[in-house]
Every structure is written in structure tokens, then in C-alpha cells.
Amino acid sequence: MPLSSAISVEPGGQLEFSSQPAPSLAACVRTVSADLTAARARLHRHGIALVGHGLDPRPPLRLLEDRRYRAMEAYFDRTGPAGRAMMCSTASVQVCLDAGTAEPGPFGMGRRWLLAHLLGAVLTAAFANSPATEGPWAGWCSARQGVWAALDGYRNLAPPGGAHSPREAWARYVLDAPLLCVRSARGPWTVPADGMTFRQWIRRSSRSGTGPGALRAPLLDDLVYHLTTLFPPVRPRGHLELRMIDAQPGPDGWIVPLAVTTALFDDAEASESAYRVVKPLAELTAEGPAPRNALWERAARDGLADPELHAAARDCFALARLALPRLGAGRRVRAAVADFEARYVRPGRCPADDRTASDDRVRTERLTGSDDRARTRHRPGTSETAPGQQGEPW
């Protein structure tokens, strides 16, 4: 099936669509909508539908027998059940944006890094769509974010010190991150038992010699692979990958977080104003890096019922709504954002508030269980007819 987006299957059966870089918001929406339309039609023939939930309510079941995921499962099992739930039961909308320039101002890398880590909590709250009724995240609007925060306590956290020098902070973070695994050409991949970091791998291998059982020296390809095993809420990859937004309900639910986030980063006026809106929230981040601080926990637990996050979201959505025409967004994108703003943001609600007990709400205590059912899980899709085919520009 010819698609513009790269498509991959995640460990629990989630389908991930990764678009090509787009010159504009409108172009990104058109391309991904067309790809999802084609995928929906093909899947429909097999009785499969794409749905958008942040957290699958069923016990996690790994469907892929891949050495990467076997090693990942073994690594995360050391710290509890959250790792398996993250791998097999979560889905998100990940928005990728330009990392910024070396100059100061709203498009500077330092400013965009700060904005991403403060606005990220507002986006978590506004788009929370994984409510839990029981278990460790009972009552949370985004139990998915609770799962991610409960991982090993390093590779899921924001790099410390990034506010002053994102590049240096990221380099230190990468080198001091425990290795998830050491790959080998044959046999299973080794999960270091002592939490060896990439920096320690470099140093130890230089002293271990070359005989049988010696620790091989890491190659550049090992460093590149190591980067793919780090999952902070904002991940730099030559661009900024925002990973905190739950998968959204509805056929086109993914478009709203994409449009709002793009507007608040790529329109200079909106970005400068959004930064002023969220800057006071930094006071709630003193106790630790995202997502393990009061700001991010309140966002995941309370959504927009939190007064400070509600006020910030109202202002940010208003800024995005005004910026979208300046970015060339079509009428239907603007209408989708306005509808979401009216339904959720202004009254202080989020998509999780629409989910009832009969809607397959998550019982998080079951995340440690297992069953032998065959499952297919998917990330959010879009409508059966692509916007570009409807005669109405997005």
C-alpha cells in the first residue's frame, strides 16, 4: 500500500504513522489524512478499525517477538509492571517541531526547549484521554502519563539543566543513561545487570582487552541505537518530538493537538505570548524533572480541573486560534480547534471526562495481569474520506 508516512507496528499491536517533514501545517494534515484514509479502508476489509485511546484497558500483551522488545521487557521488569504497560498498552499523538535557531527570541532553541517543557503539561491536561477508575492511577485523567512517569526514573525524565544549555544537558543525559541493552549479531541482546551507562561502556571497554568474554567497544551505531531507547517527554532528534499527548478520540482527533501545538511554536506572536502564559508554572517544577514534578502530576491527574492549568489552557488555546489563520490553516482545521476549545477548554474539561464506565474505562490494576486473547491495538486514525477529497481545504 503506497503511503507517504512511514508505518510501524508497536509491541502491543499499536499502529504508528510517522509523517514526512511538511512545509506547513496544512500540508501535514492533508498528507497524513490521505494516508490514514487509505489505511482505514484496507483495515476495514479485515474487520479492523482504528481507535484513539491513550491507554488500552486490557492487560498488556506483547505481540512482537523482536530482540529489541524482549530486551526492553527484561529491562523494565526490574522496576515494576509499568514498562510492559508502556510498551503494549499506550498510544499518543507525537508532534514534531523545528528545534529552533541559535539566536534568542521565540524561535531560539533555548526558548523553545523551555516552552516545550512548560506547555507540555498544559497539553497533557487539555488532551488527557486515558481515565482510570481503579489501581495506582485511579481518578487520573491521563493514566497513560502516570504509566510513563512510573518507568525506571531516568530514561523517561527530562534532562536536568536543560534550561540553560539544551545541547550540553542532552549530551550528558545520553552518556549517563543506563544501557537498555548491548546488541549482538547472534543470540539474545544482553541487558546489563549493573545499570551500566553509555559513558561507563566506553571506559570499561577500553580496559577490558580483546580476549574471549571481553566487553566490546561501542560503535557510533550503538550510540545512535542508544538514542532510540530514551523516552523523555520532549525528545530532541534534530527536531523536538513532543511525546506527552494522549491519543485522541474521534476520526480526526489528532488534528487538534497538532494544530494547537504548531500554532504556539511556529507563530512568533503566539509563541512569545504563550511563553509568558506558561512561565509562572515553572514554580511547580522545582522538585524534579518532568514528568515527575508537581506540575506534570497535576496535569495528568486532574486535567483542566486544575485551576492554574485551566487558566493557562484557556489563554493558550485563544492564542492558537488567532494564530492559525496567519499560518494558513484552512477553515476545517480552525473549526476543529474552535469546537474543541468550546467543548473542553473553556468549561475546564478534557476528553477523559467524556468516558464513562461503559466506555471501556481503564482498570489499571489489571495492567499486571495477562491473558491469551489475540488483540490488535491502533493509534488514532482519521475520517474515511480524506479532507483533500471533500473539496474543503483543511
Side-chain angles (χ1 to χ4, degrees):
M1 182 170 59
L3 299 174
S4 173
S5 302
I7 186 170
S8 59
V9 181
E10 296 299 298
Q14 309 98 313
L15 288 185
E16 180 170 347
F17 291 79
S18 301
S19 71
Q20 298 296 320
S24 67
L25 170 64
C28 182
V29 171
R30 283 196 302 270
T31 301
V32 177
S33 293
D35 286 349
L36 287 166
T37 295
R40 278 179 173 271
R42 178 67 63 87
L43 292 169
H44 181 71
R45 300 174 197 168
H46 301 279
I48 299 171
L50 298 178
V51 296
H53 296 314
L55 188 64
D56 192 320
R58 297 167 293 185
L61 174 65
R62 179 167 56 85
L63 302 179
L64 299 186
E65 287 298 325
D66 181 276
R67 287 190 292 178
R68 170 183 172 91
Y69 298 122
R70 287 199 295 269
M72 188 179 294
E73 189 174 79
Y75 175 89
F76 283 121
D77 278 352
R78 296 172 177 175
T79 55
R84 293 192 181 213
M86 175 276 290
M87 292 169 56
C88 303
S89 302
T90 64
S92 64
V93 177
Q94 297 176 4
V95 181
C96 297
L97 302 160
D98 191 89
T101 66
E103 291 76 23
F107 294 148
M109 178 185 296
R111 171 67 67 81
R112 289 168 79 85
W113 182 262
L114 285 171
L115 178 61
H117 285 87
L118 294 175
L119 180 63
V122 179
L123 298 174
T124 296
F127 295 109
N129 185 40
S130 50
T133 57
E134 299 178 21
W137 303 288
W140 285 41
C141 293
S142 178
R144 171 188 162 273
Q145 191 60 247
V147 168
W148 278 90
L151 295 180
D152 67 333
Y154 190 94
R155 65 194 341 103
N156 59 325
L157 305 183
H164 303 292
S165 179
R167 283 194 181 97
E168 292 181 10
W170 179 245
R172 288 193 301 269
Y173 174 90
V174 169
L175 289 173
D176 293 330
L179 292 171
L180 190 143
C181 62
V182 175
R183 297 177 298 164
S184 61
R186 298 176 182 174
W189 293 356
T190 303
V191 180
D194 62 351
M196 180 174 64
T197 68
F198 200 91
R199 190 191 301 273
Q200 290 171 333
W201 187 11
I202 296 171
R203 292 174 176 171
R204 293 179 186 178
S205 64
S206 67
R207 300 191 297 264
S208 67
T210 58
L215 180 65
R216 70 172 180 86
L219 305 174
L220 177 60
D221 187 57
D222 292 308
L223 176 59
V224 172
Y225 185 83
H226 179 60
L227 293 172
T228 72
T229 70
L230 305 177
F231 311 112
V234 180
R235 182 164 66 174
R237 304 184 67 185
H239 55 267
L240 298 182
E241 180 184 80
L242 277 64
R243 304 170 52 85
M244 71 288 298
I245 301 170
D246 281 355
Q248 294 298 287
D252 300 321
W254 59 276
I255 292 174
V256 176
L258 169 65
V260 169
T261 307
T262 301
L264 295 177
F265 275 85
D266 288 358
D267 180 86
E269 181 179 342
S271 184
E272 183 67 33
S273 298
Y275 178 70
R276 290 197 295 268
V277 168
V278 300
K279 188 176 180 180
L281 298 176
E283 296 178 359
L284 299 172
T285 66
E287 64 188 46
R292 288 190 178 180
N293 58 45
L295 174 64
W296 283 69
E297 181 176 335
R298 283 164 54 172
R301 184 186 63 231
D302 303 329
L304 294 188
D306 181 273
E308 291 180 270
L309 288 164
H310 183 207
R314 284 201 314 266
D315 290 344
C316 286
F317 268 75
L319 292 168
R321 175 167 35 83
L322 294 174
L324 285 171
R326 297 194 293 266
L327 293 176
R331 179 182 63 81
R332 297 182 65 190
V333 167
R334 300 197 307 270
V337 171
D339 289 347
F340 188 97
E341 183 183 13
R343 180 173 182 175
Y344 297 113
V345 179
R346 290 177 192 163
R349 302 175 67 250
C350 60
D353 293 320
D354 288 344
R355 304 273 295 277
T356 65
S358 61
D359 288 331
D360 199 26
R361 291 189 71 166
V362 176
R363 297 180 178 273
T364 57
E365 84 286 355
R366 297 176 59 205
L367 293 176
T368 59
S370 63
D371 64 16
D372 58 0
R373 293 174 294 164
R375 273 94 50 94
T376 305
R377 306 187 180 112
H378 305 286
R379 300 209 175 193
T382 187
S383 58
E384 294 297 333
T385 305
Q389 299 171 340
Q390 295 173 327
E392 291 287 350
W394 282 91

